[in-house]
Amino acid sequence: MTADDGGRLSSLAKYVPGFLTASDDRPRWLDDLRLILLATAVVYLTFILLGLIGGLSINGITRELQAVTLLSASIALVVLALNLHWGYTGLFNIGIAGFMAVGAYTTAMVTASPDARIPGLGLSLWIGIPAGMIAAALVGFIVALPALRLRADYFAIVTLAAAEVIRRLYNSSSLDQFELFGIALGTGSGRGIRDFPNIRNTVSRHILYADPGGPSDPYPWGQLLFTIGEEFDLIAFVIERIVYTLFIIVLVILVFVLLTRTANSPFGRILKAIREDELATKSLGKNTNRVKIKAFMLGCAIMGLAGIVWQGSRGNVTPDLFMPIITFYIFIALIIGGSGSNAGGVVGAVLFAGLLFDGPPMVERAVNNLVDLPRTNTMNDALIGLANLDPEVFFGYVMVQMSSLRFMLFGIVLILLMIYRPDGVLGHRNEPAAAIDLRKQQAPDHEETNEVDETDE
Amino acid sequence: MKQMSDQLDLTVDGEGSTADGRNALLEIRNLRKRFGGIDAVDGIGFDIEPATITGLIGPNGAGKSTTFNLITGVYRPDGGTVRFAGEDVTGFRPNQLAKRGLVRTFQITRELNEMTVLENMLLAFKGQLGEQLYRSVLPVLRREVVEQEHELLASVWEILELFELDHLAHEEAGTLSGGQRKLLELSRALLTNPEMLLLDEPMAGVNPSLEQHLLERIHELHGEGYTFLLVEHDMNVIMEHCERVIVMHQGQILADGSPAEIQQNEAVIEAYLGGEV
Amino acid sequence: MVRDGLNDITSRISVEAIRHQVEALRYRASRWSLGEWFGVALVLLVVILAIDLVRRLVVGDIGPSTVGTFLWRGSVDGLLIALAAVGLSMTYSILRFANFSQGDLVTTGAFTGWAAAYVVAGIGVADFGTRFFLNPDRGTSARELDMHIFGAPLAIFTGLIVAAVMTILVALAIDKLVYKRMRNAGGIPLLIASVGVALALRYIIVFFYGERTRGVTRSSPVIEHELLFWTDAVDAHQLVVVVIGVLMVFSLHIVLQYTKLGKAMRAMADNKDLALVTGIPTERVVLVTWVLGAGLTGMGGYLIVLEQETLNFNTGWFLLLLIFAAVILGGIGSIYGAIVGALIIGMAINISLVWIPSDLTEVAAFMLMILILIFRPSGIFGGVETA
């Protein structure tokens, strides 16, 4: 290693902590943005590299980048909501999938056509989406009201059970079709609801085309995107997806601002105090129950929104989209980033979606493109191969199993984080909760008071 | 025990008489709490006059902390009443009591560890605009919240300087020493603008110089009209700084009087020296 | 005259006594906590449902044999849940966290046990890999191996033992790798780590056995006997579950009551103060906790498959909430409570079929669990000593 290299490394070492720790002279949001962009860059570079090795076209790589961005943003939306519950308030909610289901199903039921197999109210998405969010918040209220005083682990079991109750109710054949106040409705039981607007297409086409019905007459900005797309040989379908992804990113930014404002306010100060010590907070005259319920309902509404624009955005909802495992995706993402920090949560979402969730299949593709591994389908064959000193057979099995192996990876990452980095990869991030930046506040006059120095205990 | 207290004219029974004409700030009547078959607090009653410093003492397990917890709504009493400023507040929750001006500190300080001293202090103000979620997040309304934060911060600095905590303003409360935490808790309680402060062992774990500092503050505040009720183990503190001392033993009130009277009281001496029954 | 007077007095006394009692009762009722009111409501609901059940029986809505079947299946399900619930209750009370990987320990027992059963039953029929990996290439079948209790009894009982032993070993390995490093971490970090363990364990099993659902046993032979008064015939496999389940619960009772370590465990589980005084449990108690808890859990997983004939990597995970429901019903920390809770849950998910459709019975069980956690977190027996 040359001296020059060493110098560069040390300057890099000085630079990276600059990213990772809050610095006093930089605004907080800029700090956060840098962190998020850094994580995104890591994921993008990995994907481009793996995509090139995997022999993907520009279209293919763009498609993969779009997919991982959409997944990251969708997960980030829920992670932010969970951070409000768990990170800021200490409410250990593991019923996320249930609140997402309520949002998605309510929107589907409100917007589905009254003449469909599973009839709905036939209203527009402008009503359907807020209705879904409100319904999720109300269900959150019903769950939280009695459960708020419970210990964290009991609260966890209650919320998980509530989510399963919700999913199984949607799955139940007794609610397949029913009448409420003379209006025909239904949840479609195991098959779910199909005949309601595909939100992904509706949103992106409304943004791109003057006439969303027939994708022929794009707005000027739509035309601009298509022209740029043509330069890179991107098909219209990919552009539409990119537009939807941008829409979700905008939602993430809005929610980020909303929740950061919530946290950095007297309201957020009470949330933080509740997390630290609820009795002490009560003893200072704060109605902690009311504050907790408000925070819980707000988080549930955002979870409902995520249910609508993520799992429920493909024009059909089924109970299987809301299995409890979804909840654990969100938890892993938040724990990676470190609970208690919105920026950390988004970073966690990007790293989880990019490296843990969508990464392994990319690796599989790249490896398969590089070496021609035999497709071994059972562990028995794999071990026989290994016994015959033919590791290719075994690795072939590993590649076939990659998509389920990543779940093992989730578990292992979660365990390692809890043992070694319970505060997340970014370490402990504690942001003062106030509407003004407390880190910069100084006492009004700087008269030297005789400081009480003491060394007891 | 019962016969002994019957001989004492100092003893206040469960139905203690209202203080001669004057309006008591805090009136406790016949307060009871049982834990698993044991009468932790067995029908006690007393009045606290405004702008006084009263000490509540007693051997371990006498029921002092339980009494505190009953008055401040941490526990719900099994019987009896608590009246504060003329209002029946029996069974009220701690936040309802704090809103009415009855604020406590804790034996083991409950400062909010991961919050800085400034955050701890800012939390205490009652009725902040930004405690309403919509005001804190909506664009135009948030401006008022920010303004108020600046105003509140000014009063925080004042109190911090008074308590000589200003150099620790940016420290997380969890990193403070025991004595500094006690100071923080007391100053934080003051920011709620209380009528009356209940201090649970304010001197425990505080070094002598800081103890002096704390006591001076308490006397200053007493001078300004604040009312204090404190549980304390340190007899010197109680005898030198309280105007009145209430002695509890086995869930009941054993004696009630001036420090001088208490020091002469045989039942009290018996209770402290005679060991636990 | 005198007698009249006496009568008068006695009647007055008794009237007064009654009045006193009524007053005392009213006084108590006025001071009932939410939990007590909930308990009364729950008892009332059960009474109403019982009356309705009798009514339906009398009217002829349902036959006595249907009720008999429900009760029988209820005890089978109840005992299966109980075996897993005991383990969960033990870790909850001794190690002080909600172990979300308990369901996957059930699955571990099921896979290891049945692999052993296949290895034994298929000697000379199929090669080792085919047997060990539970017939991945369809090289043999439950039919070929005659995999039922009368066809391959030795293999099935070997499997039961191996299920217990392997689950214990897996649990101890996990404890050493994960939980031991976090003894002081507190309930929530441990809970989260156990979610990680659950995922890792489940997908390690998938790595070995794949995601497909396999039928591993033949359908159960049927036993007809005079002694089976409540029904015409009974599944032999269900009978095996009941016999082994009862045997295991009884053995556990012996261990807890009459061995020194058992007594220590009971003390630590039931007496929170003692546990606090003693602090973090000694590694010996932890060891016994895992050996007893995981052993029973593994057997439970194995027997579940014997009863339902199919095996899947999600078998245990899907049971987790029912196991939690049993533990919570019986009062968290009480081992005997967990057993009774499991039996109640088993009965409830079967008898409730009288009133609600089959896809909602578990919903009812979960709702019951939620309500109990909210109103009576100490379990349906409340403060009553259950151990």
Side-chain angles (χ1 to χ4, degrees):
Chain A
M1 188 194 289
T2 65
D4 188 39
D5 275 351
R8 205 183 298 157
L9 269 182
S10 68
S11 73
L12 201 70
K14 249 187 283 165
Y15 191 57
V16 170
F19 267 134
L20 297 182
T21 56
S23 95
D24 287 339
D25 48 335
R26 211 182 293 144
R28 212 187 291 171
W29 67 270
L30 200 62
D31 231 45
D32 292 350
L33 188 65
R34 276 164 174 251
L35 272 174
I36 294 163
L37 290 180
L38 186 72
T40 313
V42 168
V43 168
Y44 274 22
L45 286 176
T46 314
F47 267 55
I48 290 171
L49 199 68
L50 289 173
L52 289 174
I53 300 172
L56 285 176
S57 65
I58 298 260
N59 244 319
I61 291 178
T62 314
R63 178 93 183 76
E64 290 296 338
L65 290 180
Q66 173 271 321
V68 76
T69 313
L70 179 57
L71 184 65
S72 304
S74 307
I75 290 179
L77 206 52
V78 201
V79 167
L80 287 171
L82 178 63
N83 191 35
L84 174 66
H85 284 172
W86 186 39
Y88 288 135
T89 323
L91 292 168
F92 196 74
N93 174 11
I94 53 173
I96 300 167
F99 300 112
M100 289 172 62
V102 171
Y105 265 91
T106 306
T107 303
M109 287 163 78
V110 168
T111 57
S113 148
D115 313 319
R117 189 186 69 81
I118 303 299
L121 299 178
L123 300 171
S124 87
L125 280 174
W126 290 109
I127 298 170
I129 293 177
M133 293 175 68
I134 290 167
L138 288 179
V139 171
F141 177 75
I142 292 166
V143 172
L145 189 62
L148 279 176
R149 60 198 175 86
L150 295 181
R151 273 165 44 178
D153 52 344
Y154 291 7
F155 188 80
I157 297 168
V158 165
T159 48
L160 178 65
E164 273 297 275
V165 165
I166 290 166
R167 188 180 66 84
R168 282 160 195 256
L169 283 176
Y170 285 131
N171 200 25
S172 164
S173 52
S174 1
L175 295 174
D176 189 57
Q177 288 176 52
F178 57 92
E179 272 201 13
L180 196 68
F181 308 119
I183 302 164
L185 282 169
T187 63
S189 61
R191 284 169 301 174
I193 305 176
R194 294 199 157 275
D195 304 290
F196 70 100
N198 178 321
I199 292 167
R200 199 159 58 178
N201 293 345
T202 312
V203 169
S204 55
R205 287 184 189 154
H206 263 93
I207 294 171
L208 283 171
Y209 310 117
D211 174 21
S216 53
D217 183 17
Y219 284 123
W221 51 87
Q223 190 57 54
L224 181 71
L225 281 176
F226 286 122
T227 319
I228 298 171
E230 266 168 39
E231 290 295 310
F232 295 96
D233 289 331
L234 296 179
I235 52 176
F237 169 77
V238 176
I239 305 257
E240 281 180 18
R241 284 293 159 81
I242 290 175
V243 168
Y244 187 71
T245 307
L246 290 173
F247 168 73
I248 302 289
I249 290 175
V250 169
L251 282 186
V252 171
I253 293 169
L254 288 177
V255 168
F256 190 101
V257 171
L258 174 77
L259 294 186
T260 304
R261 282 187 163 215
T262 305
N264 294 330
S265 75
F267 183 84
R269 204 150 52 217
I270 301 176
L271 293 183
K272 198 172 174 186
I274 290 171
R275 188 191 66 186
E276 294 291 306
D277 189 334
E278 184 167 358
L279 180 57
T281 315
K282 269 189 188 164
S283 298
L284 289 171
K286 308 299 174 194
N287 189 341
T288 54
N289 282 341
R290 192 186 297 164
V291 172
K292 271 158 91 177
I293 286 179
K294 275 188 193 172
F296 195 76
M297 288 176 72
L298 177 63
C300 285
I302 297 166
M303 287 171 184
L305 176 68
I308 298 163
V309 298
W310 175 23
Q311 293 292 73
S313 70
R314 278 157 278 185
N316 70 319
V317 286
T318 63
D320 287 352
L321 290 170
F322 304 100
M323 297 294 262
I325 189 77
I326 299 278
T327 302
F328 296 119
Y329 295 165
I330 308 305
F331 257 91
I332 297 168
L334 182 56
I335 290 167
I336 289 175
S339 77
S341 151
N342 282 332
V346 177
V347 168
V350 171
L351 294 180
F352 172 79
L355 302 185
L356 294 182
F357 199 92
D358 275 352
M362 288 295 284
V363 171
E364 182 193 346
R365 190 202 307 267
V367 170
N368 281 336
N369 195 45
L370 272 186
V371 278
D372 192 20
L373 290 172
R375 284 191 69 81
T376 319
N377 281 315
T378 68
M379 187 67 166
N380 191 19
D381 296 342
L383 289 182
I384 291 169
L386 213 54
N388 294 335
L389 298 176
D390 186 3
E392 277 195 7
V393 180
F394 184 81
F395 287 117
Y397 180 68
V398 171
M399 286 304 132
V400 169
Q401 286 287 315
M402 194 57 104
S403 62
S404 57
L405 273 179
R406 61 187 166 163
F407 286 89
M408 192 160 85
L409 187 66
F410 298 169
I412 292 168
V413 166
L414 200 50
I415 294 167
L416 292 178
L417 281 170
M418 288 324 290
I419 295 178
Y420 298 109
R421 304 233 36 171
D423 288 324
V425 289
L426 303 180
H428 188 63
R429 288 167 61 84
N430 190 1
E431 296 155 1
I436 48 180
D437 194 346
L438 290 186
R439 292 176 305 180
K440 292 183 188 149
Q441 301 300 321
Q442 290 302 327
D445 50 319
H446 276 278
E447 285 177 76
E448 272 307 305
T449 45
N450 32 330
E451 299 190 348
V452 185
D453 283 320
E454 61 156 348
T455 46
D456 63 340
E457 283 179 309
Chain B
M1 168 55 219
K2 188 74 188 158
Q3 296 138 329
M4 196 193 300
S5 53
D6 281 345
Q7 298 160 0
L8 291 159
D9 43 5
L10 288 170
T11 311
V12 175
D13 66 16
E15 299 293 331
S17 53
T18 16
D20 33 293
R22 280 195 293 167
N23 269 343
L25 184 59
L26 183 72
E27 298 165 61
I28 310 294
R29 292 289 173 277
N30 206 14
L31 206 58
R32 292 176 185 284
K33 182 72 184 176
R34 286 177 72 84
F35 284 123
I38 296 159
D39 291 300
V41 170
D42 188 10
I44 62 163
F46 55 81
D47 290 340
I48 303 288
E49 319 291 331
T52 54
I53 302 182
T54 310
L56 183 62
I57 62 168
N60 278 328
K64 310 177 300 277
S65 281
T66 309
T67 305
F68 251 44
N69 285 334
L70 288 173
I71 296 173
T72 54
V74 178
Y75 300 149
R76 202 170 273 269
D78 290 337
T81 54
V82 178
R83 293 176 73 82
F84 181 70
E87 182 186 9
D88 186 349
V89 294
T90 319
F92 275 32
R93 288 193 295 269
N95 51 313
Q96 294 171 308
L97 292 165
K99 273 203 180 125
R100 285 164 174 76
L102 182 65
V103 177
R104 71 171 296 178
T105 66
F106 292 87
Q107 183 180 349
I108 297 158
T109 51
R110 303 185 84 122
E111 77 291 335
L112 304 154
N113 281 324
E114 291 209 351
M115 297 171 79
T116 63
V117 169
L118 278 186
E119 279 179 285
N120 262 281
M121 299 293 279
L122 280 171
L123 177 71
F125 291 96
K126 280 188 212 166
Q128 300 174 41
L129 290 176
E131 286 180 5
Q132 298 295 326
L133 180 56
Y134 72 96
R135 282 186 189 276
S136 280
V137 296
L138 290 181
V140 181
L141 294 174
R142 189 175 165 89
R143 248 179 257 156
E144 293 171 29
V145 175
V146 172
E147 258 168 49
Q148 196 185 40
E149 293 270 86
H150 282 292
E151 285 164 25
L152 298 182
L153 203 57
S155 348
V156 166
W157 283 119
E158 240 170 73
I159 296 275
L160 283 181
E161 269 165 38
L162 178 70
F163 281 79
E164 294 173 21
L165 283 170
D166 46 342
H167 63 294
L168 297 167
H170 296 286
E171 300 295 319
E172 283 184 17
T175 64
L176 303 190
S177 74
Q180 290 165 337
R181 287 180 208 188
K182 293 279 185 191
L183 273 176
L184 172 63
E185 234 195 351
L186 180 59
S187 51
R188 191 179 65 185
L190 281 179
L191 289 181
T192 65
N193 191 20
E195 293 273 318
M196 176 168 181
L197 282 157
L198 275 69
L199 311 181
D200 199 350
E201 300 201 16
M203 306 308 161
V206 182
N207 74 12
S209 74
L210 208 53
E211 180 175 313
Q212 206 47 48
H213 182 57
L214 238 149
L215 284 167
E216 279 167 24
R217 294 288 87 73
I218 289 175
H219 278 294
E220 267 176 46
L221 294 166
H222 172 224
E224 289 170 30
Y226 287 98
T227 312
F228 285 92
L229 175 63
L230 40 122
V231 164
E232 186 51 62
H233 268 303
D234 188 335
M235 277 305 150
N236 293 333
V237 170
I238 291 286
M239 295 307 166
E240 284 169 30
H241 299 275
C242 294
E243 301 156 279
R244 175 185 165 205
V245 179
I246 300 170
V247 187
M248 278 188 78
H249 184 48
Q250 292 180 337
Q252 291 176 323
I253 289 179
L254 187 60
D256 183 346
S258 70
E261 288 170 317
I262 295 297
Q263 273 165 321
Q264 305 297 315
N265 189 306
E266 279 173 34
V268 173
I269 295 164
E270 174 81 7
Y272 268 92
L273 299 180
E276 306 291 320
V277 181
Chain C
M1 270 299 281
V2 176
R3 181 176 289 180
D4 276 1
L6 269 175
N7 271 348
D8 198 32
I9 290 167
T10 43
S11 68
R12 220 185 313 155
I13 288 172
S14 60
V15 164
E16 211 134 275
I18 289 168
R19 194 189 297 148
H20 273 296
Q21 280 195 340
V22 168
E23 262 172 24
L25 206 67
R26 196 187 295 156
Y27 180 69
R28 264 207 309 249
S30 71
R31 291 152 50 83
W32 272 355
S33 67
L34 214 56
E36 281 159 335
W37 281 112
F38 173 71
V40 170
L42 201 64
V43 169
L44 272 179
L45 180 73
V46 169
V47 168
I48 290 169
L49 289 180
I51 292 170
D52 187 59
L53 189 66
V54 172
R55 182 190 65 83
R56 281 166 192 252
L57 271 170
V58 171
V59 175
D61 262 4
I62 46 169
S65 72
T66 316
V67 177
T69 310
F70 285 162
L71 288 175
W72 171 249
R73 284 210 197 130
S75 26
V76 173
D77 290 349
L79 280 165
L80 287 173
I81 297 170
L83 289 177
V86 166
L88 185 66
S89 176
M90 282 180 175
T91 39
Y92 218 138
S93 53
I94 305 282
L95 296 166
R96 313 216 158 256
F97 72 100
N99 183 5
F100 273 64
S101 65
Q102 183 72 7
D104 299 285
L105 284 179
V106 170
T107 317
T108 306
F111 272 93
T112 53
W114 283 101
Y118 265 60
V119 166
V120 171
I123 294 173
V125 181
D127 65 274
F128 181 81
T130 303
R131 287 179 276 141
F132 184 80
F133 288 106
L134 291 171
N135 186 22
D137 312 311
R138 301 196 157 74
T140 181
S141 66
R143 175 186 292 273
E144 194 186 353
L145 299 182
D146 208 19
M147 195 54 95
H148 63 81
I149 189 69
F150 300 135
L154 182 70
I156 286 181
F157 280 100
T158 311
L160 183 69
I161 305 302
V162 171
V165 172
M166 288 305 292
T167 312
I168 290 170
L169 292 180
V170 168
L172 288 176
I174 293 170
D175 187 61
K176 189 166 168 53
L177 285 172
V178 183
Y179 303 133
K180 196 173 182 178
R181 297 164 199 265
M182 306 180 64
R183 285 275 191 270
N184 291 319
I188 290 302
L190 275 164
L191 188 159
I192 298 171
S194 80
V195 170
V197 169
L199 279 170
L201 196 53
R202 195 177 320 149
Y203 284 91
I204 287 172
I205 292 170
V206 170
F207 187 58
F208 278 85
Y209 287 93
E211 290 190 0
R212 80 183 164 95
T213 303
R214 350 161 114 68
V216 288
T217 73
R218 301 196 63 185
S219 43
S220 170
V222 169
I223 300 173
E224 293 176 35
H225 197 278
E226 292 287 306
L227 276 174
L228 307 171
F229 56 90
W230 66 90
T231 175
D232 302 334
V234 71
D235 261 16
H237 288 174
Q238 292 183 343
L239 199 61
V240 170
V241 168
V242 169
V243 169
I244 295 176
V246 169
L247 212 64
M248 284 302 131
V249 167
F250 186 72
S251 318
L252 178 72
H253 170 71
I254 301 289
V255 170
L256 289 180
Q257 294 294 333
Y258 301 105
T259 67
K260 212 173 146 193
L261 265 170
K263 282 179 191 168
M265 275 189 64
R266 222 151 37 90
M268 292 198 70
D270 294 338
N271 190 335
K272 293 219 166 58
D273 295 333
L274 186 69
L276 280 176
V277 171
T278 11
I280 299 151
T282 62
E283 291 303 315
R284 254 165 79 88
V285 174
V286 174
L287 182 81
V288 177
T289 304
W290 286 119
V291 168
L292 290 181
L296 293 177
T297 305
M299 284 192 190
Y302 182 80
L303 292 173
I304 286 165
V305 176
L306 180 72
E307 203 261 338
Q308 69 185 24
E309 298 169 17
T310 58
L311 174 57
N312 176 273
F313 72 103
N314 269 326
T315 297
W317 167 240
F318 287 161
L319 274 179
L320 183 65
L321 271 179
L322 283 182
I323 302 172
F324 265 110
V327 170
I328 287 160
L329 217 64
I332 289 170
S334 161
I335 296 166
Y336 291 90
I339 296 167
V340 178
L343 288 172
I344 293 174
I345 289 288
M347 290 292 174
I349 57 178
N350 283 286
I351 297 176
S352 60
L353 284 168
V354 173
W355 299 280
I356 54 178
S358 63
D359 58 5
L360 290 180
T361 52
E362 292 192 3
V363 168
F366 298 162
M367 292 290 285
L368 183 64
M369 170 176 80
I370 292 175
L371 291 174
I372 284 175
L373 264 181
I374 288 169
F375 296 110
R376 280 181 84 90
S378 53
I380 40 174
F381 309 111
V384 183
E385 206 57 55
T386 52

